[in-house]
Amino acid sequence: MSRFRGLWQASVNATKRGNYGVSKRGNLEKSMFVDDVGVVRRVVRKEIIRIIRAFLALLWRPEDLLPPSERYIFKFDSKEELKRWHLYADSEFNGLSSASLQIQESTNGSSGTGVFSGNLSLDVSEGTKWNISRSGFCGMRSKKFDGFIDLDGYDTLALKVKGDGRCYISTIYTENWVNSPGQQEDNSWQAFVYVPKDNWYIAKIPLARYLPTWRGNVIDAELEMNPSRVVGMSLSLNAEGGIPGSVTGPGDFRVEIDWIKALRTLS
């Protein structure tokens, strides 16, 4: 505030340096006096504006307007946290895959972690009424947020995971502005997440790497995610597909999840 006072005093001194005295020699002097008052007002007004701008420049730095460099979206440290998620699998369509989501308590006093595990099967129950083209998938999806999560100030999604060498799919759901108004589905944006076996790993996925999809298929169009309107997320896997070198095929799967964060890595 001492700098602000100094600026203010400088403006006051500047107005005092002008010859703004009152003359008693008639109308001409009165007219000059009126003109001088107008000049004083303009000078003072400009000086006040300059002071205010200088003062705000001291208070409002561009970096102060940015959100924190990282933001927790999910922390899988309690059973209460797991209530924010629900499971799905091909068993909803008479497939035979199964999944569970549980908390693994820590043995050293630290917070627990979430464990998403189950079994992938390519088989389908006999006599099913569903004509499904593929089976062998499971997933965990967050329930819709109360409103939106605004990730517009971030460029990367990070997941701290420990797994089984399989490739998982990270999905971000945003408010529907791609599909036609008659469709109620959220827009989905997906990216692969490789989870190394037996070691904790922080997977960092730039938001620009997420591709627009519809029911698991990539939309062949130039579309841009709206990160300010995130309504949910999911983590899933298929028995087939993924990146080269990852574990594939039917069988058991298990991934441990500590947290999911949004990061700002670009300046």
Side-chain angles (χ1 to χ4, degrees), residues 33-261:
F33 171 71
V34 172
D35 291 341
D36 283 349
V37 170
V39 171
V40 172
R41 288 176 177 172
R42 287 194 294 272
V43 170
V44 172
R45 185 184 302 114
K46 289 181 179 179
E47 192 66 19
I48 289 175
I49 291 174
R50 186 183 70 80
I51 292 171
I52 291 174
R53 287 176 175 170
F55 183 60
L56 292 180
L58 295 175
L59 295 179
W60 293 352
R61 298 174 299 174
E63 56 268 28
D64 292 337
L65 302 179
L66 293 173
S69 60
E70 61 181 47
R71 172 184 178 180
Y72 278 107
I73 303 175
F74 297 104
K75 287 194 70 175
F76 297 86
D77 55 359
S78 67
K79 292 181 180 179
E80 196 67 26
E81 179 71 20
L82 299 191
K83 294 179 181 179
R84 302 173 63 187
W85 295 80
H86 67 263
L87 299 169
Y88 63 90
D90 59 33
S91 56
E92 299 176 21
F93 308 98
N94 281 31
L96 297 179
S97 300
S98 60
S100 67
L101 180 60
Q102 299 175 330
I103 286 291
Q104 177 167 293
E105 301 294 344
S106 172
T107 57
N108 58 7
S110 60
S111 301
T113 53
V115 178
F116 174 48
S117 61
N119 182 270
L120 297 172
S121 173
L122 299 177
D123 298 327
V124 179
S125 299
E126 295 183 4
T128 176
K129 65 177 181 178
W130 300 99
N131 183 25
I132 59 175
S133 59
R134 60 182 179 181
S135 59
F137 63 88
C138 293
M140 49 180 282
R141 177 171 177 170
S142 69
K143 298 176 182 178
K144 274 202 172 185
F145 301 136
D146 184 14
F148 305 100
I149 284 187
D150 184 356
L151 300 183
D152 197 32
Y154 301 93
D155 56 78
T156 300
L157 191 72
L159 303 87
K160 185 177 180 181
V161 289
K162 180 169 69 172
D164 50 11
R166 287 187 180 270
C167 185
Y168 291 76
I169 301 171
S170 170
T171 304
I172 298 175
Y173 300 97
T174 59
E175 182 186 29
N176 186 334
W177 71 343
V178 174
N179 297 330
S180 62
Q183 293 178 299
Q184 299 301 314
E185 297 180 58
D186 302 318
N187 297 145
S188 59
W189 308 80
Q190 296 185 319
F192 285 127
V193 182
Y194 172 67
V195 182
K197 188 176 182 179
D198 297 333
N199 292 310
W200 282 108
Y201 170 71
I202 298 178
K204 298 180 180 180
I205 315 167
L207 297 184
R209 192 180 297 174
Y210 282 81
L211 299 177
T213 62
W214 187 69
R215 297 186 179 179
N217 298 308
V218 175
I219 299 175
D220 187 16
E222 292 293 331
L223 302 173
E224 184 178 351
M225 180 194 297
N226 182 3
S228 65
R229 294 286 188 171
V230 175
V231 297
M233 295 183 179
S234 72
L235 189 68
S236 60
L237 76 163
N238 298 322
E240 300 175 337
I243 64 174
S246 61
V247 175
T248 60
D252 294 337
F253 69 88
R254 186 182 191 277
V255 60
E256 203 169 334
I257 314 170
D258 191 354
W259 46 253
I260 298 176
K261 291 180 182 179

